[in-house]
């Protein structure tokens, strides 16, 4: 089943997507109690939001062997985890704003785990019981700042650096799905999650050894090989089997005309 968040008549709403039709729910699907209102909308009538508004974004680095190889780094014995600001999350169709055109800022196609129930110290055989579903995430990353800082939080936390969506799919085998990213129609990344070094269950186990995860939190699970730089004007499409296409346009943020509203208001 595909779940969405969307806006209609200036209201933030929740729904289930079937084909091109959204059936509105009477509350947040993460509650487990949301029911159909009977109201339906065509996709063209609404604006999709990021399908979840996470309080925590946990990221995993170097989780595909070929990406570790292209990065010139050894394969980690355990999942390499770090935190990303949830304020970096944007939706399908939103712009990716490049704040510094002199820096190399890369795309990274990733499967995102959406947590459905509070969880801490879970066993591997029970890990998927705490998953609500899965969505797509483009883990946009400033390589200059990664190298300068020696860690990843600043490089990956700029506003618009985590496009997420377009839906949460609940009926999916996360350890065997195709993942592909194109830039301007050219395939740049193409792999399958069966190449993950640490599978989905193992990631949940290791993250929850460290922290409590709550409904709506996400784990982004690493990117395949083929990462590369973005430039203004690029049209980036991340497609994950069973989830759909996450499409975002890249724009120049150095001129001050494309800054997010919240940033503009606080200036």
């Amino acid at each position: 089943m595909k779940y969405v968040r969307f806006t209609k008549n200036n209201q933030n709403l929740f729904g289930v997507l079937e084909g091109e039709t959204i059936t509105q729910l009477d509350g947040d699907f993460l509650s487990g109690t949301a029911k159909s209102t009977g109201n339906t909308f065509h996709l063209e009538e609404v604006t999709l939001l990021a399908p979840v508004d996470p309080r925590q974004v946990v990221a995993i680095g170097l989780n595909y062997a070929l990406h570790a190889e292209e990065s010139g780094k050894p394969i980690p014995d355990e999942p390499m985890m770090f935190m990303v600001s949830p304020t970096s999350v944007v939706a399908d169709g939103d712009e990716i704003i490049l704040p510094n055109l002199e820096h190399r800022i890369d795309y990274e196609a990733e499967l995102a785990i959406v947590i459905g129930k509070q969880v801490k110290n879970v066993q591997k055989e029970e890990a998927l019981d705490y998953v609500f579903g899965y969505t797509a995430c483009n883990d946009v990353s400033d390589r200059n700042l990664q190298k300068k800082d020696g860690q990843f939080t600043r490089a990956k936390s700029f506003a618009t650096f985590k496009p997420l969506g377009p839906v949460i799919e609940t009926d999916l085998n996360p350890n065997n799905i195709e993942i592909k990213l194109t830039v301007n129609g050219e395939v740049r990344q193409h792999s399958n999650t069966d190449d993950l070094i640490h599978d989905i269950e193992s990631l949940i186990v290791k993250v929850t050894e460290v922290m409590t995860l709550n409904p709506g939190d996400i784990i982004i699970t690493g990117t395949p090989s083929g990462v590369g730089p973005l430039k203004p004007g690029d049209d980036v499409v991340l497609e994950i089997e069973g989830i759909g296409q996450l499409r975002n346009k890249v724009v120049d943020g150095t001129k001050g005309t494309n800054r997010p509203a919240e940033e503009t208001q606080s200036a």
Side-chain angles (χ1 to χ4, degrees):
M1 189 171 288
K2 291 179 167 62
Y3 290 91
V4 294
R5 294 171 65 236
F6 63 100
T7 60
K8 178 69 175 177
N9 298 327
N10 295 317
Q11 291 185 315
N12 292 351
L13 303 171
F14 303 86
V16 176
L17 178 65
E18 296 182 83
E20 300 290 304
T21 300
I22 297 173
T23 300
Q24 183 187 343
L25 300 174
D26 62 4
D28 188 343
F29 43 72
L30 290 170
S31 69
T33 60
K35 299 177 182 178
S36 172
T37 64
N39 297 330
T40 60
F41 305 97
H42 193 276
L43 265 180
E44 294 180 353
E45 298 180 71
V46 307
T47 300
L48 290 181
L49 301 169
V52 69
D53 184 17
R55 288 193 293 169
Q56 296 187 101
V57 179
V58 186
I60 306 297
L62 300 177
N63 201 25
Y64 287 79
L66 289 178
H67 178 51
E69 181 179 322
E70 73 178 355
S71 301
K73 298 179 180 178
I75 293 173
D77 293 333
E78 296 183 287
M80 186 183 75
M81 69 183 76
F82 53 94
M83 304 301 292
V84 175
S85 172
T87 63
S88 60
V89 171
V90 291
D92 175 59
D94 286 344
E95 294 174 335
I96 297 170
I97 302 172
L98 304 185
N100 190 330
L101 299 186
E102 295 179 357
H103 288 193
R104 172 170 167 163
I105 299 176
D106 285 5
Y107 54 81
E108 292 190 8
E110 305 203 13
L111 177 70
I113 306 165
V114 180
I115 298 299
K117 296 185 289 186
Q118 187 179 86
V119 56
K120 178 72 167 71
N121 290 323
V122 71
Q123 299 300 307
K124 185 170 183 178
E125 59 270 19
E126 299 174 348
L128 296 186
D129 295 340
Y130 293 86
V131 174
F132 181 82
Y134 305 89
T135 190
C137 181
N138 187 351
D139 180 21
V140 178
S141 306
D142 185 317
R143 301 304 188 201
N144 293 64
L145 293 180
Q146 274 188 252
K147 183 176 181 180
K148 181 179 181 179
D149 293 350
Q151 50 85 17
F152 302 161
T153 298
R154 179 163 70 134
K156 292 172 176 280
S157 291
F158 284 89
T160 78
F161 271 24
K162 292 295 167 286
L164 194 72
V167 305
I168 300 173
E169 173 60 62
T170 58
D171 185 16
L172 203 64
N173 174 5
N175 291 308
N176 186 15
I177 51 172
E178 187 176 2
I179 181 168
K180 180 171 70 174
L181 183 140
T182 64
V183 178
N184 305 323
E186 179 184 345
V187 176
R188 300 290 182 84
Q189 294 183 280
H190 195 183
S191 188
N192 190 294
T193 57
D194 64 5
D195 288 330
L196 287 169
I197 297 166
H198 306 287
D199 64 18
I200 299 303
E201 294 91 335
S202 298
L203 296 180
I204 297 168
V205 168
K206 285 299 182 180
V207 172
T208 64
E209 286 178 358
V210 178
M211 66 191 78
T212 299
L213 297 177
N214 290 291
D217 289 342
I218 64 172
I219 304 171
I220 53 177
T221 58
T223 193
S225 61
V227 298
L230 296 167
K231 66 182 186 304
D234 282 345
D235 183 36
V236 186
V237 180
L238 166 53
E239 183 172 3
I240 298 183
E241 180 184 357
I243 294 172
Q245 293 186 340
L246 173 66
R247 181 185 296 270
N248 302 91
K249 193 83 170 179
V250 182
V251 300
D252 179 358
T254 64
K255 299 178 181 179
T257 57
N258 293 303
R259 295 165 65 194
E262 62 179 14
E263 191 175 321
T264 302
Q265 292 167 3
S266 63

